[in-house]
Amino acid sequence: MYYAYKYRLKPSDAHREELDRHRDICRQLYNHTLYRLNEYQDEHGELPSMTILRSELPDLKKWWDGLSDVYSKVLQTVVERLFDNLKGLSALKENGYGVGQLKWKPPREFRSFTYSQSGFKLDKKGGQTVLSLSKLADIPIRLHRAIPDDATLKQVTVKKEPTGEWFATFGVQMDREPPKPPEKPEQCVGIDVGILKYAHDTDGTAVGSLDLSDERDRLEREQRKLSRKQHGSNNYEKQRRRVAECHADLRRKRHDFLHKLSNYYAREYDFVAVEDLNVKGMMESPSNSRNTASAAWRTFISLLKYKCKREGTHFVAVNPRGTTKECASCGVSTDKPLWVREHSCPACGFEADRDANAAWNILSRGLEDVGVGYSESTSPEIFNFWCADESCSDSSTPVETALPVDIPVSAKRVVQAGSPTLKERTAQAVSE
């Protein structure tokens, strides 16, 4: 499998100046290659191939003095980057989107360059780990986690964030294959995501949403200060970085929460079912779009998907239509407004939390879609699970059920440093 490992660089002022110079040379080459692509298309009536434009690089070095200062593989990846952008535009056009043409990149929009296959290595110098980049420098790097011994480094992308920080992202190829998912999973879970409770699963765990209100307030204050600065001044640039730091703080805290939550479900269960939500369509709704964007459900699903593949866990995204309305016990649909947080079936008398009922429907659909076998302990039939007493399972009439005792888990416990996340319940839940 192919993974990405991201680390923070610790460049000196001289390193920063040289990194910016290499980045700007790559930007200028990108713009020149785009000019040559349009020129070739006007002359020949068709787009040139990547090989044709890459073959022009040796001739460019004869009159372009700065181009020889950049490693050759880096220059080749700049040309590849242009054609990757063209493929992206073509894919959007095939899907019915109205697309224009590629534009020249200003300095603020071209923030990275890539060493592919060669020209880079991790080394130890002066008692610290450094990233050696050919024709550039040996830059100190903070390896906060080790790269596996059996991993092969395929490439490294050096990027400057809007905050001014530099990061290195390694493309890593693992020699070992991920474990195969079990034919008969024993630990199965369905997850219903939301805003009031970020995730409610079939085990009764209700994970609260991450509270980023203080961070948002700080961002709004800094943005108001930025609007009062004169554009292009030194004070404007300082304030712009403060705003970028606020955005980065929000993004890091959100990703940290999503990584830890998705990692828990991928490792603790053999089968995970979630909703295949159309987040883009939900964002176009005039109501609650800000909270929908902040929840980052699509990011959570993407993280959960690749982590399940890594851990050998079944992953399935089901159609979300009707998961809240259908009764998980008998399948009868009941309309309920959003403010109604409890499910009460008029046909069979089944009562449960609204999100818990949806989670069981998601799990049932997931097992049906995949068609895997499962043990009796993980059966989606929840009749006995939710019954208030054992005798109700023998009754053929609508049974009287009790609301399930959910286990609330604060988002702070998920992101707490060194915390086993959801595995240990809160003291209050344990005592109950």
Side-chain angles (χ1 to χ4, degrees):
M1 291 185 67
Y2 196 82
Y3 299 99
Y5 283 72
K6 186 176 181 180
Y7 301 96
R8 185 191 300 270
L9 295 176
K10 299 182 290 184
S12 63
D13 292 340
H15 291 155
R16 291 178 183 275
E17 183 177 350
E18 192 66 12
L19 285 167
D20 279 325
R21 190 174 74 88
H22 278 240
R23 178 175 63 93
D24 195 61
I25 292 174
C26 291
R27 179 189 67 85
Q28 295 177 39
L29 176 61
Y30 178 94
N31 293 338
H32 175 80
T33 307
L34 178 58
Y35 166 77
R36 285 288 300 123
L37 182 141
N38 294 331
E39 186 180 49
Y40 186 96
Q41 186 179 18
D42 294 339
E43 294 176 355
H44 299 83
E46 61 179 4
L47 290 174
S49 65
M50 186 190 305
T51 305
I52 292 176
L53 294 183
R54 286 207 305 195
S55 64
E56 297 180 356
L57 291 175
D59 294 333
L60 288 177
K61 293 181 180 180
K62 295 178 182 179
W63 59 268
W64 193 336
D65 296 335
L67 211 59
S68 299
D69 296 338
V70 181
Y71 189 63
S72 59
K73 284 284 188 181
V74 176
L75 301 178
Q76 293 176 15
T77 57
V78 172
V79 180
E80 294 174 6
R81 181 172 178 172
L82 175 65
F83 280 86
D84 289 341
N85 292 343
L86 280 176
K87 290 180 181 178
L89 282 181
S90 300
L92 289 174
K93 189 174 182 179
E94 291 176 357
N95 292 331
Y97 291 93
V99 298
Q101 295 180 345
L102 294 179
K103 298 180 180 179
W104 284 26
K105 295 286 188 181
R108 67 180 181 276
E109 293 182 6
F110 198 98
R111 297 188 170 275
S112 64
F113 54 91
T114 301
Y115 283 77
S116 179
Q117 302 297 333
S118 61
F120 66 96
K121 67 176 180 178
L122 289 172
D123 202 358
K124 285 279 189 180
K125 290 186 178 180
Q128 62 180 349
T129 305
V130 296
L131 174 61
S132 296
L133 300 175
S134 180
K135 290 192 174 183
L136 209 158
D138 295 335
I139 305 175
I141 185 173
R142 182 175 177 268
L143 287 177
H144 61 279
R145 56 172 175 168
I147 297 177
D149 297 332
D150 59 345
T152 303
L153 299 181
K154 291 294 185 180
Q155 68 177 27
V156 60
T157 298
V158 182
K159 182 178 180 181
K160 183 181 182 180
E161 296 291 345
T163 57
E165 299 171 311
W166 284 90
F167 289 87
T169 303
F170 293 91
V172 175
Q173 183 71 44
M174 295 292 190
D175 296 333
R176 62 181 183 272
E177 292 295 326
K180 294 183 178 180
E183 295 182 0
K184 292 187 176 182
E186 295 183 357
Q187 299 295 328
C188 300
V189 68
I191 307 172
D192 177 68
V193 294
I195 293 177
L196 296 178
K197 290 178 289 186
Y198 191 87
H200 197 130
D201 61 34
T202 49
D203 281 350
T205 302
V207 181
S209 294
L210 192 62
D211 184 12
L212 298 175
S213 57
D214 292 340
E215 288 77 4
R216 288 201 193 97
D217 291 341
R218 181 193 170 203
L219 173 61
E220 292 173 359
R221 288 196 302 270
E222 299 298 337
Q223 285 176 329
R224 287 194 294 270
K225 292 180 183 179
L226 179 64
S227 66
R228 294 191 287 267
K229 305 296 182 183
Q230 182 178 357
H231 186 80
S233 64
N234 290 335
N235 286 336
Y236 181 91
E237 179 60 24
K238 292 179 182 178
Q239 189 60 34
R240 184 201 61 78
R241 289 201 175 188
R242 291 195 186 99
V243 172
E245 290 171 358
C246 292
H247 280 291
D249 186 40
L250 274 167
R251 183 174 62 253
R252 288 169 185 166
K253 289 182 178 181
R254 184 182 296 115
H255 279 202
D256 179 58
F257 170 73
L258 297 179
H259 271 292
K260 290 178 178 178
L261 184 61
S262 59
N263 188 65
Y264 163 76
Y265 282 114
R267 289 190 173 183
E268 295 298 324
Y269 292 94
D270 302 325
F271 183 98
V272 177
V274 295
E275 294 175 294
D276 187 14
L277 296 172
N278 179 18
V279 180
K280 182 179 179 181
M282 299 171 70
M283 286 287 295
E284 295 174 355
S285 173
S287 61
N288 217 20
S289 58
R290 177 177 179 177
N291 289 331
T292 302
S294 179
W297 292 323
R298 179 52 58 181
T299 302
F300 172 69
I301 294 173
S302 300
L303 295 176
L304 185 60
K305 182 178 181 179
Y306 94 79
K307 292 179 190 294
C308 285
K309 183 178 181 181
R310 181 189 65 190
E311 301 295 335
T313 301
H314 286 285
F315 173 86
V316 58
V318 304
N319 184 0
R321 182 177 294 276
T323 53
T324 302
K325 296 180 180 180
E326 289 183 7
C327 177
S329 179
C330 66
V332 174
S333 294
T334 305
D335 291 333
K336 57 178 77 72
L338 188 61
W339 55 268
V340 176
R341 307 310 304 172
E342 296 178 2
H343 169 79
S344 179
C345 181
C348 67
F350 172 67
E351 295 181 357
D353 181 88
R354 175 194 182 108
D355 298 330
N357 177 74
W360 275 104
N361 284 326
I362 293 168
L363 177 58
S364 301
R365 292 185 184 185
L367 293 171
E368 292 175 0
D369 291 348
V370 176
V372 298
Y374 51 87
S375 64
E376 294 181 358
S377 61
T378 60
S379 170
E381 299 296 334
I382 62 169
F383 181 78
N384 294 333
F385 183 86
W386 294 114
C387 276
D389 55 2
E390 297 179 357
S391 61
C392 68
S393 61
D394 300 328
S395 174
S396 58
T397 59
V399 297
E400 294 183 0
T401 55
L403 289 175
V405 180
D406 295 325
I407 304 175
V409 177
S410 171
K412 292 183 179 180
R413 294 194 64 240
V414 178
V415 300
Q416 183 181 356
S419 169
T421 64
L422 308 176
K423 207 167 182 180
E424 293 182 2
R425 309 303 188 186
T426 59
Q428 179 181 1
V430 172
S431 63
E432 292 176 355

